[in-house]
Amino acid sequence: MTNSSSERASEFELIAKVFAPLSAPGAYGLTDDAATIRVLDGAELVVTADLLSADVHFRAEDEPRLIAKKALRVNISDLGAKGAKPVGYLLSLALPRNWTMPWIESFAAGLREDQSELSVSLMGGDTTSTDGPLIVAITAFGTVPSGTMIRRNGAKPGDLVFVSGTIGDAGAGLTALKGELPNISARDREVLVGRYLLPQPRTGLGQALRGKVSAALDVSDGLLADLGHIAETSNVRILVSADRVPLSDAARKAGLRVPKAATAGDDYEIAFTAQASRRADILRAAADCGCPVTEIGRVEPGAGVALLDSSGREIPVSRKGYRHF
Amino acid sequence: MTNSSSERASEFELIAKVFAPLSAPGAYGLTDDAATIRVLDGAELVVTADLLSADVHFRAEDEPRLIAKKALRVNISDLGAKGAKPVGYLLSLALPRNWTMPWIESFAAGLREDQSELSVSLMGGDTTSTDGPLIVAITAFGTVPSGTMIRRNGAKPGDLVFVSGTIGDAGAGLTALKGELPNISARDREVLVGRYLLPQPRTGLGQALRGKVSAALDVSDGLLADLGHIAETSNVRILVSADRVPLSDAARKAGLRVPKAATAGDDYEIAFTAQASRRADILRAAADCGCPVTEIGRVEPGAGVALLDSSGREIPVSRKGYRHF
């Protein structure tokens, strides 16, 4: 970002010009202090918040359009994994003091594009300045029929374990961005980097899985770490067959191996467990929404998560996922 | 904050030990990716978000207990001014890398105390680290009977203008904290500084005003600036009689005058407009909830806001309130 006073606007002008056009009916054109959300009888609201910070969750030099999309998508991904239908979001921004209108306009353009794609609208938020790096804090809202949010705590011994899409692409994309994958093709690089910069929330799949699965979450910290969260809250042990973990062609060609893929973050796929009797039902639902789903393991009594080789031996994994501190 | 690795915990331990005990039933002990909120038939949810940054909204060296309370209270204040009954909140924290457990425990103690006082519970959020200053981003939820949220846009010519409590104390408190009010008594200093550090959200008054007033908001940017927001969204002109603006004894003794009080921020009182026929009704509701309310002006056709002296002449005010940039 460069600084030019002629390119600046006040907080109020910024809201009116850039953000108000993105707003939902209950947000009153962002001219009020709060928004209202009506929830249909028999439904309940699902709420989730994720805060992204420059140089932790994205690179400060990333295109603002992509920063906006990533921040929105990681929140919508949480709703998706919980089986919720996305409705809207609140956006709180702490802008470094050298922000410019072109930067903000690109950021807003990213939101506008994703609002159409994800069927959500801006409901409000806050805009302020900071002496530190850019912070994007989003709260996202969705709805489910009351009592049907897919929890983390329902996995039972005997359940099967599934994951959508492919694992490890985003991690490989970040490695490529750092210049550490010099020998991959331009096309593969684009695929992997795209997976890092632009997660695809599995909202259609999540809604289709409601009522069919015993536990779910989105893979953000890394497949094994996130399955570990299900194991912990469900009081079970989760076994993952390394040779079943789905890798993309691009990731394979980049030399990615399963232990690394299963501990990389930012996949934003849905990992879930379900009774074995639900297998056909789940694969049909996945096919109907055009979402690849792979069976990768099983649940047993115990605790923790283990990655197994083809002979059933545990593959040692030093670090199961990303931790912020 | 000082740094000691023995005083640190992982993100997951931090959530389990410090924040989970603060959580509401629909937050599932903070063990899931999202929380659920049920809204009674005939009600709707009111949502608002405010992000506070160290060195902008509070001083980094302020007691963490008070930082937490201020961040929560400024959000609950928005709900109060909209007539909503507070329900819960999401908390997203970007912690500087040198955070310590005692700091976080004090922060959580502040939240715990205020949760009892304000009748809200923690519903979720996010905890991450940042290379910049501490950021506290809160989204607060309340409920109103459907369609009754008090808006900014309903003021009409002929309406009266009111404000709760006293104006300018927080601004004077900040001045005192900066050492620029050396001659005030210890007691007055304590009163004024307390008003800066610990706003008192007027949630009881806000709910009592629902259905009786035409427009309302909480005074955060400064009385004149905030009444200017009502004037703008209602397409009216607001006239404030300087000699009616309520100042506290402590503020008067500190030498505060109305033009400065009416442009200082952080009051977190409710400013509102209502039909003249509602005056007795409003003063009774205010008395019932023990909230002082003062009639300070009137609404007429036109635009903008003006501060008038006792002979009806406009008092020039250079800057009507706080702007972040």
Side-chain angles (χ1 to χ4, degrees):
Chain A
M1 289 192 257
T2 57
N3 189 4
S4 157
S5 61
S6 67
E7 291 172 340
R8 305 296 290 275
S10 79
E11 180 184 358
F12 307 116
E13 289 160 351
L14 190 64
I15 292 168
K17 282 184 193 162
V18 179
F19 292 118
L22 302 175
S23 67
Y28 310 112
L30 307 186
T31 62
D32 218 305
D33 306 277
T36 50
I37 303 178
R38 281 193 202 186
V39 182
L40 292 179
D41 292 359
E44 62 189 349
L45 208 68
V46 176
V47 298
T48 184
D50 268 311
L51 180 151
L52 284 77
S53 176
D55 302 322
V56 177
H57 301 88
F58 54 86
R59 302 168 313 150
E61 68 270 24
D62 286 343
E63 243 189 275
R65 203 179 123 264
L66 295 179
I67 294 172
K69 285 174 180 253
K70 181 158 189 179
L72 184 53
R73 287 172 182 221
V74 303
N75 276 281
I76 301 301
S77 175
D78 275 321
L79 294 181
K82 302 286 104 183
K85 184 180 173 204
V87 171
Y89 66 103
L90 300 175
L91 169 70
S92 289
L93 280 179
L95 294 171
R97 297 193 187 274
N98 60 350
W99 69 274
T100 65
M101 273 308 279
W103 192 97
I104 283 285
E105 281 162 356
S106 165
F107 187 91
L111 295 177
R112 189 165 51 243
E113 288 164 21
D114 270 10
Q115 289 192 181
S116 308
E117 185 164 339
L118 305 170
S119 301
V120 292
S121 303
L122 180 61
M123 311 225 47
D126 193 16
T127 309
T128 181
S129 56
T130 176
D131 292 325
L134 172 69
I135 301 272
V136 186
I138 288 181
T139 295
F141 305 99
T143 56
V144 288
S146 289
T148 68
M149 184 179 97
I150 308 171
R151 300 282 314 281
R152 288 181 175 185
N153 70 345
K156 296 270 186 301
D159 283 359
L160 306 177
V161 180
F162 300 84
V163 72
S164 65
T166 54
I167 291 297
D169 296 328
L174 179 59
T175 307
L177 280 174
K178 289 175 178 165
E180 294 166 14
L181 290 177
N183 299 322
I184 58 172
S185 71
R187 172 68 194 141
D188 288 344
R189 186 180 197 283
E190 193 187 334
V191 167
L192 298 174
V193 168
R195 291 269 291 163
Y196 171 72
L197 294 175
L198 264 191
Q200 303 291 335
R202 298 284 190 184
T203 52
L205 178 64
Q207 292 172 69
L209 294 178
R210 222 169 43 217
K212 300 183 179 70
V213 304
S214 54
L217 43 53
D218 67 335
V219 181
S220 55
D221 294 335
L223 178 64
L224 296 181
D226 286 311
L227 287 174
H229 300 325
I230 288 181
E232 191 180 350
T233 50
S234 299
N235 291 308
V236 295
R237 178 166 176 80
I238 291 181
L239 304 176
V240 175
S241 300
D243 56 6
R244 291 185 175 192
V245 173
L247 300 193
S248 68
D249 287 345
R252 283 184 197 283
K253 284 191 273 169
L256 188 67
R257 297 289 170 264
V258 165
K260 187 160 184 191
T263 53
D266 277 337
D267 294 308
Y268 298 103
E269 296 294 348
I270 304 183
F272 58 97
T273 61
Q275 290 182 21
S277 62
R278 292 289 201 168
R279 183 196 275 126
D281 204 12
I282 285 165
L283 296 178
R284 198 176 316 116
D288 285 350
C289 80
C291 303
V293 157
T294 308
E295 184 186 329
I296 58 169
R298 65 181 196 275
V299 181
E300 62 171 36
V305 57
L307 186 65
L308 305 182
D309 68 17
S310 56
S311 57
R313 274 186 297 258
E314 184 167 352
I315 301 171
V317 175
S318 58
R319 188 165 177 267
K320 287 187 175 153
Y322 186 77
R323 292 187 154 204
H324 287 299
F325 35 76
Chain B
M1 291 192 255
T2 55
N3 189 2
S4 157
S5 62
S6 67
E7 291 173 339
R8 304 296 290 273
S10 79
E11 179 184 0
F12 306 115
E13 289 161 350
L14 190 63
I15 292 167
K17 283 185 194 161
V18 179
F19 292 118
L22 302 176
S23 67
Y28 310 112
L30 307 186
T31 61
D32 218 304
D33 307 277
T36 50
I37 303 178
R38 280 193 201 186
V39 181
L40 291 179
D41 292 359
E44 63 190 347
L45 208 68
V46 175
V47 298
T48 185
D50 268 311
L51 180 152
L52 284 77
S53 176
D55 303 321
V56 176
H57 301 88
F58 54 85
R59 300 168 313 152
E61 68 270 25
D62 286 343
E63 241 189 276
R65 202 179 122 266
L66 294 178
I67 294 172
K69 286 175 179 250
K70 181 158 189 177
L72 184 52
R73 288 171 182 222
V74 305
N75 277 280
I76 301 301
S77 174
D78 274 322
L79 294 181
K82 302 286 104 183
K85 183 180 174 204
V87 172
Y89 66 102
L90 301 175
L91 169 69
S92 290
L93 280 179
L95 294 170
R97 297 194 187 274
N98 59 350
W99 68 274
T100 65
M101 273 307 280
W103 191 97
I104 283 284
E105 281 163 355
S106 164
F107 187 90
L111 295 177
R112 189 166 50 244
E113 288 164 21
D114 271 11
Q115 288 193 182
S116 307
E117 183 163 341
L118 305 170
S119 301
V120 293
S121 302
L122 180 61
M123 311 226 46
D126 193 17
T127 309
T128 180
S129 55
T130 176
D131 293 324
L134 171 70
I135 300 272
V136 185
I138 288 182
T139 295
F141 305 99
T143 56
V144 288
S146 289
T148 67
M149 184 180 97
I150 308 172
R151 300 281 315 280
R152 289 180 174 185
N153 70 345
K156 296 271 186 300
D159 283 358
L160 306 178
V161 181
F162 299 84
V163 73
S164 65
T166 54
I167 290 298
D169 296 327
L174 180 58
T175 307
L177 280 173
K178 289 176 179 165
E180 295 167 14
L181 290 176
N183 298 322
I184 57 171
S185 71
R187 172 69 194 140
D188 288 344
R189 186 181 197 283
E190 192 187 335
V191 167
L192 299 174
V193 169
R195 291 269 291 164
Y196 171 73
L197 294 175
L198 264 191
Q200 303 291 334
R202 298 283 191 183
T203 52
L205 178 64
Q207 291 173 70
L209 293 178
R210 221 170 42 218
K212 301 183 178 71
V213 306
S214 54
L217 43 53
D218 67 334
V219 180
S220 56
D221 294 335
L223 178 65
L224 296 181
D226 286 311
L227 287 173
H229 299 326
I230 289 182
E232 190 180 351
T233 51
S234 298
N235 290 308
V236 294
R237 179 165 175 81
I238 290 181
L239 304 176
V240 174
S241 299
D243 55 7
R244 290 186 174 190
V245 173
L247 300 194
S248 68
D249 287 344
R252 283 184 197 282
K253 283 191 273 169
L256 187 68
R257 297 289 169 265
V258 165
K260 187 160 184 191
T263 54
D266 277 336
D267 294 307
Y268 298 103
E269 297 294 347
I270 305 182
F272 58 97
T273 61
Q275 289 182 23
S277 62
R278 291 292 202 166
R279 182 195 276 125
D281 204 12
I282 284 165
L283 296 177
R284 197 177 317 114
D288 285 350
C289 80
C291 302
V293 157
T294 308
E295 184 186 329
I296 58 169
R298 65 182 197 277
V299 180
E300 61 170 36
V305 57
L307 185 66
L308 305 182
D309 67 18
S310 55
S311 57
R313 274 186 298 256
E314 185 167 351
I315 301 171
V317 176
S318 58
R319 188 166 176 268
K320 287 185 175 153
Y322 186 78
R323 291 186 156 204
H324 287 299
F325 35 78

